[in-house]
């Protein structure tokens, strides 16, 4: 017998309409070069309705791909809702990709219109002849003085909105499994791959962000996503904030540490989220700002060293809480807030819990698999294996590839490429990305652990450990280290510091001091670039 509940689709329109109706008085804030702009949700919603009409007028059919090339702004969040609520598919293009990758993803996603912030035009407009499918280039005025090209394909966003009548009535999306948004992986190996989120997956993921044991977003929150809106939908925060009625504070393109901390202070931000580099760069400035409004600082995308989380706890009064996930997992799949079984732990043990990737979230299934034997590895906290994931907001395939492919197991689970252990409470401890592990004499060395220890040295700002090819041991670890300004230490100092913290055979063979660790388009350490720099002949070997 079927249940007798209504089969209303789990889609974005009800989120929009509820916000429009009951959160009309609330605001959304954007930082622009000419100052901070605040709009009411009533005004924002009216613009979303006008934008839906504009998409009709541009001749974009149901299912058409609407590309965005923009930072974290109110206009971007307008597109976040207008495109999917009116049946189109939002494609947020990562503006930091290489030019060839930008061209590839716009072409591969079949974007028919591209909404571009004016200051970003010089990156993407020169590609117009290579992008014949893009029929409309809509320029969003972000206050920059870049000249708008005179071309019949080019339109002004605000003018289009001003001329369009607001869409009337309720948006409807009947099929909750229809595509709502596309994000590409950053393509560290090969071309970026398109992950296609459905209305259902975004809706469930948004509800998850509201859960108390997760971020627990509520109407009282003021949310500052430092993570760009083109990186996995800013981890779902724009959708979740509109769902909760929380105030979104959007930093535009200004994500330098001082601007972010200043925004936290002025806007009384309660929740913020970004990659560890953002939080690490902010540490020297923490004491100059009033950060007492913060209740949670979320970090994801790469491991957070103990020393970083502790610096925030001590200096800002709030530690960093890790989330783990991938573009393919929408991205939230685990969260590192503390549970009752941690109540009696001392400060140091708590800092170790915070160094883990957190507890698996509801509705996400994880398993650890021994890649040699294929056997499942127990959740005992010490055994490790390849982390595989399954769940309603986990990808089942990539755009254009259909279901399956190398990244998925025969029974449809996502192979994350991460090597991890999980304890009996479901807390994940990531050992490494499989392609970053150092294999020495048949044993694995965790680059994440080594980096964690090196970054605990007070003179060290950043550290990345990579594998060096070695005839005898196959690979040996090499440390790339950036020091704080005015610090002067030697490689031996680093090795001495490590000596009583790790096994002798883990000690790096070489320590290189660099001015900066190269970063990926999403702000993480780019170990691929380091390997290319130090060991150019090795980067094409199969495990790399
Ligand atoms: P890319 O890193 O290629 O830009 P993603 O943003 O999808 O693409 O990255 C997902 C990967 O980031 C994960 O597979 C994992 O290796 C890493 N990652 C995500 N969160 C964490 C975390 N909290 N700690 C350590 N690594 C993480």
């Amino acid at each position: 017998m079927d249940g007798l509940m209504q089969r209303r689709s789990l889609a974005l329109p009800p989120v929009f309409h509820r916000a429009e109706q009951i959160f009309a008085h609330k605001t959304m804030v954007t930082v622009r070069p000419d100052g901070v702009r605040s709009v009411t949700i009533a005004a924002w919603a009216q613009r979303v309705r006008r934008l839906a009409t504009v998409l009709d007028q541009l001749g974009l059919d149901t299912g058409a791909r609407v590309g965005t090339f923009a930072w974290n702004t109110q206009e971007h969040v307008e597109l976040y809702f207008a495109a999917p609520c009116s049946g189109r598919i939002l494609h947020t293009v990562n503006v930091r990709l290489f030019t060839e990758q930008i061209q590839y993803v716009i072409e591969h996603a079949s974007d028919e219109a591209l909404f571009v912030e004016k200051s970003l035009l010089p990156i993407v407009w020169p590609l117009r002849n290579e992008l014949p499918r893009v029929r409309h280039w809509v320029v969003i005025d972000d206050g920059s003085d870049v000249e708008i090209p005179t071309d019949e394909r080019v339109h002004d966003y605000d003018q289009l909105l001003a001329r369009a009548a607001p869409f009337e009535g309720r948006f409807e999306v009947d099929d909750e499994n229809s595509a709502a948004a596309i994000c590409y992986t950053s393509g560290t190996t090969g071309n970026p791959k398109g992950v296609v989120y459905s209305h259902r997956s975004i809706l469930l993921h948004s509800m998850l962000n509201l859960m108390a044991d997760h971020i627990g977003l509520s109407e009282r929150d003021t949310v500052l996503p430092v993570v760009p809106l083109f990186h996995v939908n800013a981890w779902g925060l724009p959708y979740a904030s509109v769902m909760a009625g929380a105030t979104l504070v959007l930093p535009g393109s200004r994500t330098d540490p001082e601007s972010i901390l200043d925004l936290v202070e002025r806007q009384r931000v309660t929740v913020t989220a970004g990659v560890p580099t953002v939080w690490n760069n902010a540490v020297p400035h923490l004491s100059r700002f009033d950060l007492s409004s913060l209740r949670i600082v979320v970090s994801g995308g790469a491991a957070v060293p103990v020393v970083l989380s502790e610096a925030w706890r001590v200096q800002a009064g709030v530690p960093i809480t890790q989330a783990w996930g991938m573009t393919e997992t929408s991205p939230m799949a685990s969260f590192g807030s503390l549970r009752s079984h941690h109540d009696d732990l001392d400060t140091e043990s708590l800092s170790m819990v915070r160094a883990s990737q957190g507890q698996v979230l509801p509705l996400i299934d994880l398993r650890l698999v021994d890649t040699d034997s294929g056997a499942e590895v127990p959740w005992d906290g010490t055994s490790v294996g390849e982390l595989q994931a399954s769940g309603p907001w986990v990808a089942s395939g990539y755009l254009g590839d259909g279901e399956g492919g190398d990244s998925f197991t025969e029974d449809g689970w996502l192979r994350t490429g991460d090597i991890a252990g999980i304890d009996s409470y479901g807390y994940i401890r990531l050992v490494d990305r499989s392609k970053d592990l150092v294999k020495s004499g048949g044993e694995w060395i965790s680059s994440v652990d080594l980096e964690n220890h090196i970054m605990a040295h007070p003179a060290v700002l950043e550290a990345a450990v990579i594998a060096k090819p070695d005839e005898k041991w196959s690979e040996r670890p090499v440390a790339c280290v950036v020091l704080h300004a005015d610090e002067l230490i030697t490689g031996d100092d680093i090795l001495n510091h490590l000596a009583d913290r790790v096994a002798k055979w883990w000690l790096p063979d070489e320590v290189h001091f660099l001015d900066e660790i190269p970063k990926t388009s999403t702000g993480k350490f780019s170990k691929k670039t380091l390997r290319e720099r130090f060991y150019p002949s090795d980067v094409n070997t199969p495990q790399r």
Side-chain angles (χ1 to χ4, degrees):
M1 171 172 119
D2 281 344
L4 287 175
M5 305 313 283
Q6 299 182 7
R7 297 192 182 194
R8 221 176 120 172
S9 79
L10 298 176
L12 287 167
V15 176
F16 170 78
H17 290 300
R18 179 169 179 271
E20 182 182 41
Q21 187 165 22
I22 68 173
F23 301 129
H25 60 291
K26 299 226 44 191
T27 54
M28 189 179 291
V29 174
T30 303
V31 178
R32 293 169 54 86
D34 49 0
V36 172
R37 183 177 67 195
S38 176
V39 289
T40 61
I41 294 299
W44 168 82
Q46 196 66 2
R47 286 170 62 90
V48 172
R49 287 180 173 278
R50 286 179 188 275
L51 181 52
T53 305
V54 167
L55 299 178
D56 290 343
Q57 290 169 344
L58 295 178
L60 301 167
D61 293 335
T62 302
R65 272 67 134 178
V66 176
T68 63
F69 206 71
W71 296 105
N72 293 10
T73 61
Q74 172 202 323
E75 289 86 347
H76 210 166
V77 184
E78 287 162 8
L79 284 149
Y80 258 54
F81 279 84
C85 286
S86 68
R88 282 93 182 183
I89 305 167
L90 178 83
H91 170 208
T92 49
V93 181
N94 181 339
V95 309
R96 294 206 194 103
L97 291 178
F98 297 120
T99 314
E100 307 81 63
Q101 290 179 322
I102 292 172
Q103 183 183 321
Y104 173 84
V105 299
I106 294 174
E107 188 63 14
H108 188 259
S110 307
D111 293 345
E112 291 180 46
L114 200 58
F115 287 71
V116 188
E117 263 164 34
K118 200 160 75 163
S119 59
L120 297 170
L121 264 178
I123 302 178
V124 74
W125 178 244
L127 302 174
R128 62 193 175 283
N129 294 335
E130 269 67 56
L131 297 170
R133 265 192 274 215
V134 181
R135 292 185 282 126
H136 300 289
W137 295 70
V138 183
V139 180
I140 301 169
D141 190 351
D142 57 4
S144 81
D145 51 15
V146 168
E147 211 169 298
I148 301 185
T150 319
D151 187 295
E152 59 183 7
R153 289 167 292 183
V154 177
H155 319 273
D156 177 89
Y157 184 80
D158 281 322
Q159 277 177 15
L160 289 182
L161 252 60
R163 283 193 225 120
F167 167 83
E168 280 183 25
R170 289 181 77 81
F171 293 115
E172 297 289 346
V173 171
D174 294 333
D175 180 2
E176 63 184 23
N177 289 309
S178 61
I182 303 171
C183 280
Y184 279 77
T185 62
S186 64
T188 38
T189 47
N191 274 326
K193 289 178 271 189
V195 177
V196 186
Y197 307 115
S198 62
H199 278 265
R200 181 175 191 267
S201 73
I202 293 178
L203 196 99
L204 291 171
H205 186 265
S206 304
M207 290 185 70
L208 169 97
N209 273 324
L210 272 57
M211 285 183 43
D213 276 344
H214 186 37
I215 299 179
L217 276 191
S218 85
E219 186 271 340
R220 291 180 189 277
D221 275 313
T222 299
V223 182
L224 166 57
V226 182
V227 51
L229 265 73
F230 55 71
H231 186 206
V232 209
N233 288 340
W235 304 347
L237 290 172
Y239 289 121
S241 299
V242 172
M243 179 184 260
T247 303
L248 264 176
V249 174
L250 301 157
S253 61
R254 295 191 55 186
T255 53
D256 62 284
E258 286 174 282
S259 302
I260 290 301
L261 296 176
D262 185 54
L263 206 51
V264 170
E265 177 177 310
R266 283 171 199 270
Q267 299 290 332
R268 307 296 297 154
V269 168
T270 59
V271 175
T272 182
V275 293
T277 317
V278 171
W279 309 132
N280 200 28
N281 292 343
V283 169
H285 310 284
L286 290 178
S287 57
R288 288 196 290 111
F289 294 89
D290 173 6
L291 306 174
S292 58
S293 57
L294 281 174
R295 70 172 182 83
I296 197 158
V297 177
V298 184
S299 180
V304 175
V306 172
V307 62
L308 173 57
S309 188
E310 283 296 282
W312 271 78
R313 185 180 67 77
V314 173
Q315 294 180 48
V318 54
I320 291 175
T321 306
Q322 290 205 55
W324 169 84
M326 311 169 67
T327 308
E328 290 87 336
T329 63
S330 295
M332 299 289 187
S334 76
F335 198 64
S337 50
L338 303 175
R339 302 282 173 267
S340 57
H341 71 274
H342 297 127
D343 281 354
D344 296 328
L345 295 185
D346 60 20
T347 310
E348 194 187 332
S349 310
L350 286 177
S351 73
M352 293 313 293
V353 177
R354 294 198 188 97
S356 84
Q357 279 62 33
Q359 191 178 43
V360 58
L361 293 169
L363 302 186
I364 292 289
D365 282 332
L366 295 180
R367 67 187 181 196
L368 295 172
V369 176
D370 180 313
T371 39
D372 292 331
S373 68
E376 265 202 52
V377 173
W379 290 16
D380 57 13
T382 48
S383 312
V384 298
E386 183 192 52
L387 191 56
Q388 299 185 350
S390 165
W393 54 87
V394 177
S396 63
Y398 295 110
L399 181 60
D401 287 355
E403 304 218 342
D406 282 356
S407 304
F408 299 90
T409 62
E410 273 177 17
D411 58 351
W413 286 54
L414 172 73
R415 302 183 57 192
T416 67
D418 287 335
I419 307 295
I422 304 181
D423 72 13
S424 59
Y425 300 101
Y427 276 71
I428 304 166
R429 187 167 295 275
L430 218 88
V431 177
D432 233 324
R433 291 187 114 163
S434 53
K435 59 182 190 295
D436 292 337
L437 273 170
V438 183
K439 194 173 189 188
S440 180
E443 299 284 342
W444 297 111
I445 295 175
S446 160
S447 66
V448 171
D449 274 1
L450 270 178
E451 288 159 8
N452 205 341
H453 288 302
I454 299 172
M455 284 196 258
H457 191 294
V460 174
L461 174 67
E462 291 178 339
V465 170
I466 57 170
K468 172 184 99 152
D470 185 280
E471 264 183 27
K472 183 166 175 202
W473 302 107
S474 153
E475 291 181 341
R476 291 293 302 150
V478 164
C480 302
V481 177
V482 180
L483 298 179
H484 286 291
D486 302 330
E487 293 285 358
L488 199 61
I489 58 165
T490 64
D492 281 347
D493 293 330
I494 297 281
L495 297 179
N496 289 337
H497 162 82
L498 286 175
D500 50 3
R501 291 175 165 84
V502 300
K504 199 158 173 242
W505 61 278
W506 276 42
L507 290 178
D509 275 15
E510 295 164 22
V511 179
H512 297 283
F513 291 98
L514 312 182
D515 291 340
E516 193 187 355
I517 304 283
K519 308 287 184 318
T520 67
S521 61
T522 51
K524 309 186 201 183
F525 293 167
S526 178
K527 297 195 182 181
K528 183 172 170 243
T529 312
L530 284 174
R531 283 193 293 262
E532 277 167 357
R533 184 183 302 173
F534 288 106
Y535 313 109
S537 58
D538 184 51
V539 288
N540 292 325
T541 55
Q543 75 270 34
R544 294 280 165 259

